[in-house]
């Protein structure tokens, strides 16, 4: 599945045609219900492929993804396909501008083949909170692909495209990557421009990458990373070659194994796969060290205060005036009320209510401010281990494999717990990625590398080494 490595396609027209025929093939196998793609335009993609082909044939130097089809989560703004965020409120909405990541990929000759299903406004862990119906896991359609970027993970796992874009606020790339047996990367906060990413929780949001292999994901990140004057939080730091991290040796690399991520409650089969992966890295010369990130258990409560608080503010703009759908009502406030109560689904409504509550007078200091203070402690945990000589951390990505559809929809708290190992990196702003490390009951399990701020190269180095060492066992 992972070779040969992605690179400029000698034949971009065939590459695009193959993506669309794979999509049709899945439908013909009665896998219609996978519901991974919300919109696509084959004619436009084919025209783009012909244009890229012409340029390549006439010797124009395009990027490393020239002629490669990709898909993007439906909360990333695109000019010609709708950007619905999986919400009724934005049904049919076409953005007047394009996200920087889309511009960069297309400028390098990559071809947008479609927009993918996601939890409404990226709030969820299973892609069941999409207003357009749940997406399913191509490896087992009775199960979820993870979320909120489940559609993007699914199109890569299903072989429709080799690479796709997702977004992360609290694990929405890494957790679905783990559930679908592929690679998922969340870069350092500020590494990739958020311009054109529909805001959920701005201090946490970051665009991430899915790939069929570490090399594929590294290639996409290289193209999209870097300063963008349209996003003031994007950094000036130069972008190193992540692909070159493949040559890094593991000799003497210190890998931290945080004990809080390997508590006795962790599924022993997932723990065993993680320890197997660590043993491989040790054999390659890495030094594995037990470490502690003592504030880990506070991450879920802190995240579910900060993220809804920011969301309640960001989602105030959907008022029926400026974006998307309007439902008229009694006067202006009646219109607001009906637009928002009919446009937003249950989970988004819950988050807005929760966020408004924790920011309200009298509660702000008790909840929001306190959560910010604990967030600092969580970031300091990482800082402490990284300054004490740990190069990268290794943990499970998620506490379980892909669960059955409907298993957690009636219990929001159980759903939130599936982010337990991923939200920490978002709260601290550090980069993290999930790589397949094996299977439990035939379902994929991901292992997670976490690195210091802007330590993507070290993280990719370890991921390349592990991928090579595990070989086919990563998918068995
Ligand atoms: N599952 C988490 C949530 O529901 C994270 C979502 C995300 O990363 N976009 O908020």
């Amino acid at each position: 599945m992972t070779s040969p490595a992605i690179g400029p396609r000698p034949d971009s027209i065939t590459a695009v045609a193959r993506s669309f025929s794979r999509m049709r093939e899945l439908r013909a196998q009665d896998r219609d219900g996978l519901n991974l793609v919300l919109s696509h335009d084959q004619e436009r993609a084919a025209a783009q492929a012909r244009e890229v082909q012409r340029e390549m044939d006439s010797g124009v130097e395009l990027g490393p993804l020239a002629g490669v089809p990709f898909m993007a989560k439906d909360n990333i703004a695109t000019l010609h396909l709708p950007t619905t965020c999986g919400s009724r409120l934005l049904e049919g909405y076409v953005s007047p501008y394009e996200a920087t990541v889309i511009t960069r990929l297309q400028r390098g000759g990559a071809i947008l083949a479609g927009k993918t299903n996601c939890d409404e406004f990226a709030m969820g862990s299973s892609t069941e909170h999409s207003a357009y119906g749940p997406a399913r896991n191509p490896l087992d359609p009775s199960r979820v692909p993870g979320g909120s970027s489940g559609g993007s993970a699914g199109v890569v796992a299903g072989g429709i495209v080799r690479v796709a874009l997702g977004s992360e606020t609290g694990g929405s790339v890494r957790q679905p990557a783990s559930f679908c047996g592929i690679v998922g990367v969340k870069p350092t906060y500020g590494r990739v421009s958020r311009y054109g990413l529909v805001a959920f929780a701005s201090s946490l949001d970051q665009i991430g990458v899915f790939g069929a292999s570490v090399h594929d994901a590294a290639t996409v990140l290289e193209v999209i990373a870097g300063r963008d004057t349209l996003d003031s939080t994007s950094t000036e730091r130069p972008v190193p070659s992540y692909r070159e991290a493949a040559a890094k040796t593991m000799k003497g690399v210190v890998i931290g194994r945080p004990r809080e991520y390997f508590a006795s409650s962790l599924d022993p089969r997932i723990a065993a796969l993680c320890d197997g992966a660590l043993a491989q890295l040790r054999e390659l010369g890495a030094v594995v060290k037990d470490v502690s990130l003592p504030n880990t258990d506070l991450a879920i409560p802190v995240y579910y205060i900060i993220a809804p608080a920011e969301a309640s503010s960001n989602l105030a703009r959907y008022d029926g005036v400026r974006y998307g759908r309007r439902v008229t009502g009694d006067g202006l406030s009646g219109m607001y009320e009906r637009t928002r109560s009919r446009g937003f689904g249950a989970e988004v409504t819950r988050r807005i209510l929760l966020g408004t509550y924790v920011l309200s007078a009298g509660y702000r200091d008790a909840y929001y401010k306190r959560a910010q203070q604990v967030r600092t402690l969580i970031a300091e945990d990482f800082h402490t281990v990284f300054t004490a000589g740990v190069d990268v951390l290794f943990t499970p990505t998620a506490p379980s494999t892909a669960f059955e559809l409907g298993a957690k929809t009636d219990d929001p708290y159980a759903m939130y717990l599936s982010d337990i190992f991923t939200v920490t990196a978002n709260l601290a702003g550090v980069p993290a990625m999930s790589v397949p490390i094996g299977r439990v009951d035939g379902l994929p399990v991901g292992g997670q590398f976490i690195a210091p701020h802007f330590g993507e190269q070290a993280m990719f180095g370890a991921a390349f080494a592990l991928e090579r060492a595990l070989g086919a066992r990563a998918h068995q």
Side-chain angles (χ1 to χ4, degrees):
M1 175 186 180
T2 57
S3 57
I6 209 165
R9 305 294 300 219
D11 187 346
S12 59
I13 298 167
T14 316
V16 168
R18 206 175 289 137
S19 281
F20 283 93
S21 76
R22 177 67 185 147
M23 224 185 309
R24 279 192 298 273
E25 203 178 290
L26 286 174
R27 291 208 178 110
Q29 292 166 7
D30 199 24
R31 292 204 158 186
D32 236 357
L34 289 182
N35 200 19
L36 300 169
V37 180
L38 291 182
S39 62
H40 56 83
D41 180 344
Q42 184 166 2
E43 259 172 51
R44 178 170 280 278
Q48 228 183 317
R50 284 194 294 273
E51 177 59 29
V52 167
Q53 194 65 51
R54 248 194 313 277
E55 287 183 309
M56 285 198 287
D57 293 345
S58 62
V60 179
E61 277 280 328
L62 292 166
L65 293 169
V68 174
F70 74 98
M71 293 206 184
K73 186 177 182 178
D74 213 24
N75 62 348
I76 298 177
T78 48
L79 284 176
H80 303 287
L81 293 172
T83 298
T84 69
C85 296
S87 181
R88 276 286 160 237
L89 208 139
L90 291 177
E91 191 165 5
Y93 174 75
V94 180
S95 167
Y97 65 93
E98 183 175 80
T100 298
V101 290
I102 302 285
T103 309
R104 288 189 178 171
L105 282 165
Q106 290 188 330
R107 210 193 298 139
I111 294 154
L112 179 66
K115 298 292 289 291
T116 58
N117 202 357
C118 57
D119 285 299
E120 186 175 6
F121 286 101
M123 297 175 193
S125 310
S126 65
T127 317
E128 291 168 288
H129 297 316
S130 165
Y132 305 99
R136 290 167 185 269
N137 193 318
L139 304 178
D140 176 351
S142 71
R143 292 174 188 269
V144 302
S148 63
S149 318
S152 287
V155 292
V156 174
I160 296 173
V161 284
R162 285 280 293 271
V163 291
L165 297 176
S167 73
E168 275 243 5
T169 303
S172 279
V173 167
R174 287 164 287 154
Q175 184 255 29
S178 172
F179 282 14
C180 289
I182 59 171
V183 175
V185 181
K186 180 204 87 80
T188 307
Y189 185 81
R191 183 67 291 185
V192 173
S193 168
R194 288 181 294 121
Y195 183 72
L197 169 66
V198 176
F200 163 7
S202 310
S203 76
L204 299 159
D205 296 343
Q206 191 63 190
I207 286 172
V209 176
F210 292 100
S213 67
V214 176
H215 182 275
D216 290 1
T219 311
V220 179
L221 187 59
E222 261 177 62
V223 175
I224 63 172
R227 172 71 180 163
D228 174 18
T229 50
L230 297 170
D231 173 6
S232 60
T233 63
S234 70
T235 173
E236 302 272 1
R237 272 171 189 258
V239 180
S241 166
Y242 302 124
R243 284 173 292 172
E244 278 173 13
K248 275 195 190 300
T249 168
M250 281 295 101
K251 285 211 175 63
V253 171
V254 180
I255 300 179
R257 178 187 184 277
R259 69 177 66 98
E260 292 78 8
Y261 288 65
F262 291 88
S264 56
S265 52
L266 177 66
D267 182 329
R269 298 164 305 172
I270 294 180
L273 284 174
C274 287
D275 284 326
L278 283 167
Q280 292 289 327
L281 292 162
R282 212 182 274 119
E283 244 169 66
L284 296 172
V287 180
V288 177
K289 226 172 112 175
D290 278 319
V291 296
S292 173
L293 299 163
N295 293 294
T296 301
D297 62 340
L298 300 172
I300 288 281
V302 163
Y303 173 85
Y304 280 96
I305 290 172
I306 293 175
E310 294 186 20
S312 70
S313 158
N314 274 325
L315 270 60
R317 73 191 65 174
Y318 303 104
D319 54 7
V321 178
R322 288 166 290 177
Y323 305 95
R325 174 168 138 145
R326 168 185 299 186
V327 187
T328 50
D330 209 6
L332 183 62
S333 52
M335 187 277 282
Y336 287 157
E337 193 181 315
R338 291 181 72 179
T339 298
R340 288 170 67 82
S341 56
R342 297 208 187 160
F344 291 136
E347 183 61 25
V348 172
T349 304
R350 180 168 18 248
R351 304 278 180 114
I352 292 172
L353 291 173
L354 203 63
T356 307
Y357 179 78
V358 300
L359 287 177
S360 59
Y363 294 106
R364 196 191 155 87
D365 284 0
Y367 294 110
Y368 184 67
K369 198 168 153 221
R370 196 144 177 88
Q372 291 291 12
Q373 289 164 335
V374 180
R375 178 181 186 174
T376 303
L377 295 178
I378 291 168
E380 278 171 4
D381 280 356
F382 283 106
H383 187 73
T384 306
V385 296
F386 288 134
T387 48
V390 168
D391 295 303
V392 282
L393 294 160
F394 186 75
T395 79
T397 305
S400 73
T401 54
F403 43 86
E404 306 247 335
L405 261 87
K408 297 184 199 272
T409 35
D410 295 333
D411 184 352
Y413 192 62
M415 189 73 93
Y416 299 168
L417 284 177
S418 95
D419 307 323
I420 193 157
F421 301 142
T422 45
V423 293
T424 45
N426 302 79
L427 289 166
V430 294
M433 70 190 282
S434 179
V435 292
I437 56 168
R439 295 201 175 197
V440 163
D441 290 338
L443 295 167
V445 172
Q448 171 174 240
F449 288 106
I450 308 174
H453 290 107
F454 301 104
E456 275 87 357
Q457 266 186 315
M459 177 176 88
F460 273 112
F464 272 118
L466 181 60
E467 179 181 59
R468 261 194 317 265
L470 289 175
R473 274 173 299 164
H475 301 282
Q476 279 158 7

